[in-house]
Amino acid sequence: MQKIIRFFLLIFILSASQLLGNERVHGPYLQDVRPSEITILWETESPAIGKVLFGKEADVLNMSVAENEPKSLHQVRLSNLQPRQQYFYKCVWHNGESAVGSFRTAPANETTPLRFAVVGDSRSDLVMCKKISDLIVASNPDIVLHSGDIVARGKNLHEWKTFLFDPMEELLRNIPIYPVLGNHEQESPHYYNFFPLHENKPWWSRDYGPVHIIGLDTSVPTDPQSEQYQFLLADLKQNTKEWTIVVFHYPLFHAHPTRPIYEFRYDWQPLFMEHGVDLALTGHDHYYHRSFPIGRMAEDQKGVVHITSAGGGASLYPIAPEPYSAYYRSLYHFLTIDVTENELEIRAIDQDNRVFDGIILNKNQDYSPANFVEYGMFELERKLKNQLGQLSPTNSKNNVVFFDTTFAIETDFYMPVSGHYEWQAGSAWKLKSSSKNFTLTPGQKLQIKFSGEVDKKNFMPTPELKLHLEADNSTRNVLGHRPYQRFLGFRNQDLHFSIEEAAYKNAVLSSVENLQPVFYFLDYYAESKYAYDVIVALGTRILRTQDRRILTNLETLLQKNPSDLNKFRIFPFYFLFNDFSHLEEWIAVMGRLPSEHLSFAPKLICTLTDLDFFNTNKVENWQLLGPFAAEKGQGLVHVYPPEQELNFTKKYDAGTGAEVQWHPYAGKTIDLLKALTAPDFAFKEGIAYAHTTVSASKDGEILLLLGSNDDPAVWVNNKEVHRKKGGRSEQACQDMIIAPVKKGRNDILIKVGQHGGAWGLNLRISDWKKILE
Ligand SMILES: [Fe+2]
């Protein structure tokens, strides 16, 4: 008997050790290569002492460096290497080893020709990511720069394997990678863990041959007071390299059809211009876009070329070209940059390995003015938009509001500029003197008058300003500068400014004190295409500042204009302050509104609850029961067994000729036709039940955000907390239910009716009082 026990014990130990085997999880991958050094990293399932064997030939790995203590994430620095030399290596640990990889050290000599590769937004499509990654390997670069969005959700550890370490395995094993953080990395600790050489900072810089490379993070503050800006400024000042390349995620000059201009354009671009940055590489917008060099002609700058290279795998975006767009295509791709002392030769290469765009930046060559963009115009555009965003009525009487404002914008043209402006408005607006011709001498302010009236109810769309500017080329030689040729009006191109857009921008950027115009527009925003963005922007601001003055302003607005629509749309602001005092009123208003208005607030609340602040979880673990047969229109009313007892082992007569039993289901949204294997219920009346539990550390309340198709009823701990009759299609956050919970385990039971067609539900639980465990 003892022998048998020993035998099974041995089997158990053997299989357990196999289960606990020390397999490679991530890597190896290469970091921070220099003329005589490189760091090799890899991760094993459990701690082990790692060692790197290396040599100049693949089959002669006659040198080694070992770690001193067992680790899971191994990090071995090789030193005393020869510059510009190919080495082969493999990583070994007590019961495993990696495949053999290779790398080239950096050159000691600044005149050695080099090749960099660039890729961005490689998340989400593993097949394309691998394809592009393999093409990069085949192009044989010295290093690869990644412009961010390596993974879809950086806080999910498994995605680093799925989206980075698996599809890019060969690239990572053979080419040192220099990544920056994209928004999808979510400032995640995993990023810093995997790239420890960044020393827990989201910004970094390195020299490679004659190139200084700076990596920045566009998801953290960028303004002149920020730590990042101070780093950038100091780094640019001490930089002595011939070429400077900056890599970051959000583009300063994009061609996305709907995204706003990112404000850090005005922080960083002047620094780039002043300190001679040659190339800015960015990601985020999933296409290829190359700008003309952007700089100041008056200072005879060479300008900064901005390239968005975000074609590494994530689904592609359409492009809306801007006047600064030199070349653009929406396709999967990567870049190579060949570096010599005098030239950067950039090639954009598609997924079939064809070069589809190229540019040579040459230190000794002047760009033609026709291919140069004057940065001063962007500053003018910004100042004008800022002022439009502050626009408020000067007076109002009955339902009519009056405007009488003159905007005065500073300019810094260095030659005379002529032009005209015109306000374009719908027939509801009565505008006075809505257009004007003007000439500006250097230093003179651009003055634009806005005067008129409109009936409140016909406020949208707001007027748009059309501005045309043209330089007087006859005086081009007065100051000895190159003439303006390109960008926004200097060759018969016009600027358009929308007041709505300006109000949106104002909401995003203003301090709380300056938000008054936004509230004014909120009153009318039901018709504005920016309505949703304005509220999300305000919501984000509230969450950041928790400034209750915003709510006070909204309450004032609501008192002045307590229409159902305003009550309905303003509710999300109360929600932001965890103030549910108007919830019942909100639900009552919802019943009175026509259906076209109903999706707005739930969509908004969904967006807001996605922010970390709300501690909202999408429920994934369920028990399901059904389908039960139902009489037409009677299913929600009829009492089925789960409403009387929760017994997860019992079988029930479903009234369909079959028996049903609770069974587990995992998923954030439940398609009941599939989950209950009941496709025939697409054509029948029916009832299903979904059950989940939450555990609370004390008695209190949680917020249930329910979406369902069709009508739901909800019980928490056998007490009914919600019921809504009638067919509907499913969205997230359709119903908001405040539910009492008790210390310990709580049962949540949801009944969902089916009246034909799709059948399903989804549930988010917002733990705003932070009582759930
Ligand atoms: Fe992104």
Side-chain angles (χ1 to χ4, degrees):
M1 184 66 183
Q2 262 195 338
K3 271 187 184 172
I4 296 172
I5 292 171
R6 235 180 279 152
F7 173 74
F8 279 110
L9 198 61
L10 185 68
I11 297 278
F12 172 76
I13 290 167
L14 281 175
S15 53
S17 67
Q18 218 159 2
L19 271 175
L20 299 170
N22 204 359
E23 292 301 306
R24 179 179 59 92
V25 186
H26 298 126
Y29 55 107
L30 305 165
Q31 288 269 277
D32 195 23
V33 62
R34 302 194 185 202
S36 61
E37 292 172 81
I38 193 166
T39 297
I40 298 172
L41 301 101
W42 75 102
E43 188 170 17
T44 48
E45 263 178 355
S46 53
I49 293 187
K51 191 194 243 185
V52 174
L53 307 178
F54 64 105
K56 290 182 184 170
E57 288 169 47
D59 51 357
V60 189
L61 305 180
N62 53 358
M63 295 175 269
S64 68
V65 175
E67 289 172 316
N68 298 326
E69 56 189 60
K71 285 178 182 168
S72 293
L73 185 59
H74 306 271
Q75 185 182 335
V76 173
R77 185 84 173 153
L78 308 187
S79 51
N80 297 322
L81 305 174
Q82 289 172 7
R84 201 57 177 168
Q85 170 68 46
Q86 185 168 28
Y87 287 91
F88 296 86
Y89 75 97
K90 74 176 173 187
C91 308
V92 298
W93 56 101
H94 71 86
N95 59 347
E97 64 176 41
S98 71
V100 173
S102 76
F103 60 85
R104 254 195 315 271
T105 46
N109 186 333
E110 301 211 345
T111 58
T112 312
L114 303 170
R115 172 168 285 184
F116 298 170
V118 182
V119 66
D121 297 69
S122 53
R123 65 183 174 89
S124 304
D125 180 339
L126 309 180
V127 176
M128 186 53 69
C129 173
K130 177 160 172 36
K131 191 172 185 184
I132 296 292
S133 167
D134 290 347
L135 288 173
I136 292 174
V137 175
S139 73
N140 195 23
D142 294 284
I143 59 171
V144 61
L145 310 175
H146 196 301
S147 59
D149 281 4
I150 303 165
V151 292
R153 289 177 71 94
K155 288 183 178 167
N156 292 350
L157 177 60
H158 66 89
E159 292 200 14
W160 291 86
K161 183 168 173 58
T162 317
F163 293 131
L164 173 66
F165 289 107
D166 282 354
M168 290 197 165
E169 185 176 348
E170 203 189 339
L171 182 150
L172 294 171
R173 196 170 64 242
N174 297 295
I175 307 164
I177 188 166
Y178 291 74
V180 294
L181 286 142
N183 51 314
H184 281 269
E185 273 68 72
Q186 302 176 314
E187 302 293 326
S188 156
H190 300 312
Y191 172 87
Y192 297 102
N193 195 33
F194 289 129
F195 301 107
L197 303 183
H198 292 171
E199 293 162 351
N200 281 325
K201 295 276 190 212
W203 47 81
W204 50 264
S205 72
R206 288 286 187 278
D207 290 334
Y208 194 98
V211 188
H212 187 62
I213 311 163
I214 304 171
L216 300 172
D217 181 2
T218 45
S219 296
V220 297
T222 57
D223 59 277
Q225 283 71 45
S226 67
E227 199 186 341
Q228 177 163 225
Y229 183 97
Q230 293 304 323
F231 158 81
L232 176 61
L233 179 60
D235 191 81
L236 286 168
K237 276 185 181 168
Q238 60 78 39
N239 171 28
T240 55
K241 292 288 179 184
E242 186 68 19
W243 296 101
T244 306
I245 298 178
V246 186
V247 193
F248 49 94
H249 188 61
Y250 289 158
L252 295 192
F253 295 91
H254 64 67
H256 189 281
T258 55
R259 290 204 210 278
I261 296 167
Y262 298 115
E263 278 296 300
F264 63 93
R265 170 191 285 184
Y266 310 106
D267 296 330
W268 287 1
Q269 174 70 13
L271 275 189
F272 294 172
M273 294 185 303
E274 191 184 336
H275 295 277
V277 169
D278 302 283
L279 180 62
L281 297 167
T282 63
H284 193 50
D285 293 330
H286 307 160
Y287 49 57
Y288 172 81
H289 178 269
R290 171 169 63 82
S291 80
F292 291 106
I294 299 169
R296 285 197 178 276
M297 289 196 185
E299 291 157 30
D300 278 338
Q301 292 173 348
K302 294 195 81 69
V304 187
V305 172
H306 291 258
I307 296 182
T308 299
S309 174
S315 55
L316 297 170
Y317 291 170
I319 301 175
E322 296 283 346
Y324 50 74
S325 304
Y327 191 86
Y328 47 86
R329 280 183 64 186
S330 185
L331 77 183
Y332 294 108
H333 73 278
F334 67 102
L335 310 180
T336 58
I337 304 175
D338 288 323
V339 184
T340 62
E341 231 177 331
N342 293 319
E343 285 185 354
L344 289 187
E345 183 170 356
I346 303 162
R347 292 187 183 87
I349 301 167
D350 70 13
Q351 57 168 307
D352 298 316
N353 214 18
R354 285 184 299 231
V355 176
F356 64 90
D357 185 39
I359 181 177
I360 295 174
L361 308 184
N362 187 313
K363 282 284 173 192
N364 303 321
Q365 185 187 312
D366 257 347
Y367 300 114
S368 126
N371 289 330
F372 192 93
V373 170
E374 168 54 43
Y375 176 72
M377 287 302 293
F378 295 107
E379 289 285 2
L380 173 69
E381 182 188 31
R382 176 201 201 189
K383 287 175 195 160
L384 191 44
K385 275 190 182 169
N386 283 350
Q387 291 209 17
L388 292 186
Q390 306 295 325
L391 178 64
S392 282
T394 40
N395 205 352
S396 71
K397 204 172 175 186
N398 302 324
N399 272 334
V400 179
V401 283
F402 301 88
F403 294 85
D404 189 13
T405 300
T406 299
F407 303 104
I409 303 101
E410 283 174 10
T411 63
D412 65 351
F413 302 127
Y414 57 81
M415 62 178 64
V417 166
S418 61
H420 67 261
Y421 70 79
E422 185 183 347
W423 287 98
Q424 298 178 326
S427 56
W429 285 81
K430 290 182 196 121
L431 294 182
K432 291 181 216 157
S433 59
S434 60
S435 66
K436 192 179 176 187
N437 293 321
F438 58 84
T439 303
L440 297 174
T441 52
Q444 214 177 354
K445 284 184 177 174
L446 170 61
Q447 301 220 338
I448 292 173
K449 195 170 168 59
F450 183 69
S451 176
E453 61 184 76
V454 66
D455 186 298
K456 266 185 177 182
K457 292 190 184 69
N458 299 313
F459 192 80
M460 294 292 175
T462 59
E464 289 201 357
L465 175 67
K466 192 175 165 190
L467 176 66
H468 178 87
L469 293 165
E470 206 161 298
D472 181 352
N473 282 336
S474 63
T475 57
R476 58 188 278 187
N477 293 320
V478 172
L479 296 172
H481 295 302
R482 289 177 287 171
Y484 290 125
Q485 289 279 331
R486 182 172 276 283
F487 185 54
L488 301 179
F490 284 152
R491 272 292 171 263
N492 300 318
Q493 291 164 3
D494 297 316
L495 280 174
H496 285 273
F497 298 90
S498 148
I499 291 180
E500 278 172 76
E501 188 192 345
Y504 160 55
K505 196 164 157 297
N506 186 36
V508 176
L509 297 172
S510 291
S511 61
V512 174
E513 291 74 19
N514 290 332
L515 283 173
Q516 194 52 40
V518 176
F519 299 118
Y520 177 76
F521 287 110
L522 272 183
D523 204 9
Y524 307 96
Y525 72 81
E527 307 304 323
S528 166
K529 65 178 175 178
Y530 292 99
Y532 184 74
D533 301 306
V534 167
I535 303 295
V536 170
L538 280 177
T540 312
R541 175 168 299 280
I542 289 170
L543 291 179
R544 242 187 261 139
T545 61
Q546 284 292 297
D547 193 326
R548 213 178 160 86
R549 279 175 296 175
I550 295 178
L551 193 56
T552 311
N553 283 343
L554 282 162
E555 278 166 345
T556 312
L557 174 68
L558 198 56
Q559 279 158 11
K560 274 192 210 155
N561 189 359
S563 70
D564 272 2
L565 204 56
N566 263 344
K567 281 184 189 170
F568 179 66
R569 294 183 175 226
I570 288 171
F571 177 75
F573 288 91
Y574 291 95
F575 180 84
L576 287 169
F577 285 99
N578 301 327
D579 177 347
F580 294 86
S581 53
H582 292 264
L583 181 60
E584 282 181 5
E585 188 186 2
W586 188 65
I587 290 168
V589 163
M590 194 150 46
R592 295 198 291 271
L593 287 176
S595 59
E596 69 260 25
H597 292 294
L598 291 183
S599 66
F600 185 93
K603 187 178 153 204
L604 189 60
I605 286 167
C606 253
T607 306
L608 295 171
T609 55
D610 275 341
L611 301 170
D612 286 348
F613 181 83
F614 278 97
N615 278 358
T616 300
N617 276 314
K618 294 169 188 165
V619 179
E620 304 188 48
N621 293 312
W622 299 93
Q623 294 282 334
L624 301 181
L625 179 68
F628 287 97
E631 300 259 323
K632 190 166 176 26
Q634 295 304 307
L636 201 68
V637 185
H638 183 79
V639 177
Y640 293 80
E643 294 170 44
Q644 292 167 320
E645 60 163 5
L646 275 178
N647 185 334
F648 295 100
T649 55
K650 215 164 162 182
K651 289 183 176 168
Y652 298 104
D653 176 359
T656 57
E659 285 196 318
V660 290
Q661 192 174 1
W662 287 101
H663 64 273
Y665 181 85
K668 288 176 190 164
T669 57
I670 308 175
D671 177 340
L672 287 165
L673 295 175
K674 283 188 186 156
L676 300 174
T677 332
D680 51 323
F681 271 79
F683 311 101
K684 287 189 208 172
E685 295 267 319
I687 284 294
Y689 290 87
H691 173 270
T692 192
T693 59
V694 291
S695 178
S697 59
K698 56 183 177 187
D699 293 358
E701 286 171 331
I702 55 172
L703 186 71
L704 305 179
L705 299 158
L706 175 68
S708 68
N709 176 345
D710 288 291
D711 33 11
V714 182
W715 293 263
V716 174
N717 299 329
N718 300 322
K719 185 173 177 286
E720 184 175 314
V721 292
H722 181 65
R723 183 174 287 260
K724 194 171 207 177
K725 201 165 161 33
R728 67 181 186 186
S729 57
E730 183 185 342
Q731 290 177 22
C733 309
Q734 279 166 302
D735 300 334
M736 294 179 58
I737 307 145
I738 294 176
V741 289
K742 60 180 179 7
K743 185 176 177 192
R745 180 192 144 116
N746 295 269
D747 287 296
I748 300 172
L749 178 69
I750 302 171
K751 177 181 188 180
V752 185
Q754 162 67 327
H755 308 298
W759 193 14
L761 80 148
N762 67 81
L763 178 68
R764 295 166 181 233
I765 297 181
S766 193
D767 177 25
W768 85 96
K769 292 188 176 169
K770 298 186 179 159
I771 57 170
L772 294 186
E773 292 171 329

